[in-house]
Amino acid sequence: MATAVTTEIRSLLGDKAESLLGFNSPKIPRERLHLPGPDFVDRIFMQSDRNNRVLGNLGWMYNNGRLGGTGYLSLLPVDQGIEHSAGASFAKNPDYFDPENIVKLAIEGGCNAVASTFGVLGIIARRYAHKIPFLVKINHNELLTYPNSYEQILFGTVKQAHDMGAAAIGATIYFGSDDSHRELIEIAQAFALAHELGMATVLWCYTRNAAFKKDKDYHVSADLTGQANHLGVTIEADIIKQKLAENNGGFIALNAESVSYGKLDKRMYSDLASDHPIDLCRYQVANCYMGRIGLINSGGASGENDFAEAAMTAVINKRAGGQGLISGRKAFQRPMAEGVKLLNTIQNVYLDKSITVA
């Protein structure tokens, strides 16, 4: 019997409901995956080289909020004041110029953790660092260089995040960019120090290169984002944040112009993925050590159909074997009560036991 929550989710999915909820023929079977669950930290990280303090902070994150104890994550990220400029990000709702409202939204919205900048989290740390896990984003694209350039630069130190009482640090690497080598070395070192100090690590595994836009935008291709994920878990990210895959064949397209780029095997496209969005996302999960490292997909920009898009992304991620969503603009660019409702809508997908892994 359908619950009220299931009915609401089906309604939000509209004509995509059957395709997404009825899909049960993935190229990579679920039996090959390490799936989220209440015992995820014990089952996966107890075997790893992470120390007891890292395990403790991972346990805090996985056991906090409405999804606490499920193995799934719902995170609120608000670093757009840097990444997209504060005026452009907060004009829709100026209340979020005030950092306290960001943390209040995460708490009232039932999130596992709140992710933001050194400044945002630092200014209210004594009041809130013990109430919700802090995920400090340590690098950003500052977006004030003229003309705009796209490089991730450190805004503080790992020790600062530790002294603040953060449970985790987060960082972005623009894989494929001219700056990627520096970013990779820098963040690998930062993650090693964070683990030494007992903090978990989350990597925004983004691709960025003007050449990736061809007939399609291959910044969101399953093969390129999947390889970015695989590089991310290689530097021991404990959680991978990635944009939801929308297409495939990035390596094929980029090699079609007689330019040697990367490596591919045609079975990546025939045996390991199809055009179905759940299969495309599952390929992203597979590149996270078959789910040993959790994949959380980003919620994307705010628009006219935020609730429907959020529900769809959550369903795809969950049914693919992913571990949750990290959604910011869709939540904070609206009144707080609506933002809470949107976050709860996402969480309801992961709480609904009738929505299973394909």
Side-chain angles (χ1 to χ4, degrees):
M1 180 180 295
T3 65
V5 170
T6 305
T7 301
E8 178 190 11
I9 293 167
R10 278 187 169 275
S11 177
L12 287 170
L13 295 177
D15 59 6
K16 296 180 180 178
E18 288 305 316
S19 172
L20 295 178
L21 296 176
F23 178 75
N24 279 305
S25 55
K27 291 287 188 174
I28 299 173
R30 59 171 287 164
E31 288 76 19
R32 290 191 171 188
L33 302 178
H34 300 273
L35 296 175
D39 63 340
F40 189 77
V41 173
D42 289 342
R43 177 162 39 95
I44 300 300
F45 288 105
M46 285 289 285
Q47 306 177 54
S48 75
D49 60 356
R50 277 58 159 182
N51 63 43
N52 287 345
R53 290 165 297 165
V54 175
L55 296 181
N57 278 318
L58 283 169
W60 186 19
M61 292 173 66
Y62 279 103
N63 288 301
N64 187 63
R66 289 186 74 223
L67 297 184
T70 66
Y72 290 106
L73 297 167
S74 170
L75 306 183
L76 176 72
V78 188
D79 62 348
Q80 287 85 352
I82 309 299
E83 295 284 346
H84 302 281
S85 87
S89 298
F90 302 137
K92 289 183 179 179
N93 194 346
D95 287 344
Y96 289 100
F97 275 108
D98 185 340
E100 186 169 18
N101 287 325
I102 292 171
V103 180
K104 283 182 175 178
L105 175 60
I107 293 173
E108 293 184 26
C111 293
N112 299 69
V114 58
S116 197
T117 66
F118 281 100
V120 163
L121 297 176
I123 200 67
I124 42 78
R126 288 188 184 276
R127 185 167 186 176
Y128 290 103
H130 59 294
K131 295 180 180 179
I132 184 170
F134 279 9
L135 166 54
V136 179
K137 185 72 162 40
I138 66 171
N139 69 350
H140 307 279
N141 168 37
E142 46 82 18
L143 206 66
L144 203 56
T145 302
Y146 183 85
N148 285 341
S149 64
Y150 296 93
E151 295 183 5
Q152 289 287 326
I153 57 176
L154 291 174
F155 270 56
T157 68
V158 175
K159 185 177 183 300
Q160 276 179 274
H162 178 259
D163 290 344
M164 189 191 300
I169 65 166
T172 297
I173 295 177
Y174 284 148
F175 290 107
S177 73
D178 290 340
D179 199 47
S180 62
H181 290 176
R182 176 191 63 82
E183 294 172 11
L184 181 57
I185 293 169
E186 201 168 73
I187 300 309
Q189 292 173 344
F191 278 11
L193 179 56
H195 279 155
E196 183 180 332
L197 293 174
M199 291 180 289
T201 57
V202 183
L203 189 64
W204 278 239
C205 282
Y206 287 170
T207 60
R208 181 176 287 277
N209 192 308
F212 293 174
K213 286 191 175 182
K214 301 291 184 183
D215 58 313
K216 300 174 183 176
D217 185 356
Y218 291 107
H219 288 97
V220 287
S221 69
D223 54 352
L224 296 189
T225 57
Q227 182 59 22
N229 291 356
H230 202 72
L231 293 171
V233 297
T234 299
I235 63 170
E236 295 204 322
D238 300 317
I239 298 165
I240 294 292
K241 178 194 177 187
Q242 184 57 268
K243 296 178 180 178
L244 191 68
E246 298 178 12
N247 57 62
N248 210 351
F251 282 119
I252 295 173
L254 289 162
N255 276 281
E257 299 177 350
S258 300
V259 176
S260 178
Y261 180 69
K263 296 288 184 181
L264 64 90
D265 184 312
K266 291 182 179 179
R267 288 168 291 192
M268 293 161 54
Y269 310 102
S270 60
D271 295 5
L272 301 182
S274 70
D275 291 333
H276 196 284
I278 293 173
D279 254 348
L280 296 177
C281 186
R282 177 151 298 182
Y283 186 76
Q284 294 179 326
V285 172
N287 274 279
C288 296
Y289 296 152
M290 283 294 189
R292 286 182 183 268
I293 298 299
L295 170 70
I296 56 175
N297 287 120
S298 54
S302 180
E304 296 181 359
N305 302 302
D306 285 347
F307 281 82
E309 290 175 2
M312 180 183 70
T313 305
V315 167
I316 292 170
N317 173 273
K318 182 180 183 182
R319 300 214 67 222
Q323 206 165 71
L325 250 58
I326 179 165
S327 186
R329 282 168 287 176
K330 281 180 166 57
F332 73 75
Q333 289 184 336
R334 59 181 68 244
M336 184 171 289
E338 289 185 23
V340 168
K341 183 179 179 182
L342 185 132
L343 292 169
N344 289 169
T345 297
I346 290 169
Q347 295 153 9
N348 287 343
V349 170
Y350 295 95
L351 292 170
D352 189 336
K353 294 183 179 180
S354 73
I355 300 174
T356 59
V357 179

